Amino acid sequence: PDAWYLSRPACLASVVVEVHPRGGPRYTVGRNPFSEVTVDMRPALTALAAAEFAHGPAALRPEPTPGSENWGGRREVGGSPWNYGSRLEVGEVVAMVQRGLREGG
C-alpha cells in the first residue's frame, strides 16, 4: 500500500482485496499514512460490521469489536472478519469506506 499511497498523494484511504483462504474476499481498509489530512476509519468499520452482521452467522455481533467474528480495527486501519471470507461485495465496501470518510474524517 505504501507505493500506492506515495503515487497518489490525494488518496485518503485504500481498500485492499485478497482471497480469503476459506473462500470469499478478505479486505483491509486503511488511511493514507502519508496524507496531511487526518481521517478516522472507525465510522466505516462500524458500517461495514453492521452490513456483514446483516448476512447472519458467522458474525456474532454488529459491532467491530474483538470477539464479534466481524470487521474490526482501529482509527488508522481495519479489516474484514479474520476467520471467514466477507459476504460484502467490493463496491459495497468502497461505498461504505467513502461514506465513512465523509462522516468521520
Side-chain angles (χ1 to χ4, degrees):
D2 286 355
W4 170 262
Y5 291 132
L6 288 170
S7 69
R8 291 169 174 77
C11 175
L12 296 180
S14 67
V15 175
V16 178
V17 186
E18 301 173 280
V19 176
H20 193 282
R22 294 184 176 168
R26 173 173 38 199
Y27 299 101
T28 303
V29 297
R31 71 170 200 87
N32 182 347
F34 303 106
S35 175
E36 294 180 14
V37 178
T38 301
V39 297
D40 186 345
M41 299 305 298
R42 291 174 294 191
L45 293 171
T46 297
L48 290 161
E52 192 77 46
F53 182 76
H55 286 275
L60 302 176
R61 290 190 302 277
E63 299 87 18
T65 55
S68 68
E69 291 292 328
N70 205 333
W71 286 73
R74 55 190 186 280
R75 181 180 180 85
E76 296 81 18
V77 65
S80 58
W82 193 260
N83 294 318
Y84 63 93
S86 177
R87 283 80 53 90
L88 303 180
E89 299 292 329
V90 174
E92 292 177 275
V93 173
V94 169
M96 285 186 240
V97 168
Q98 289 174 328
R99 197 166 37 254
L101 291 176
R102 286 192 300 271
E103 293 171 6

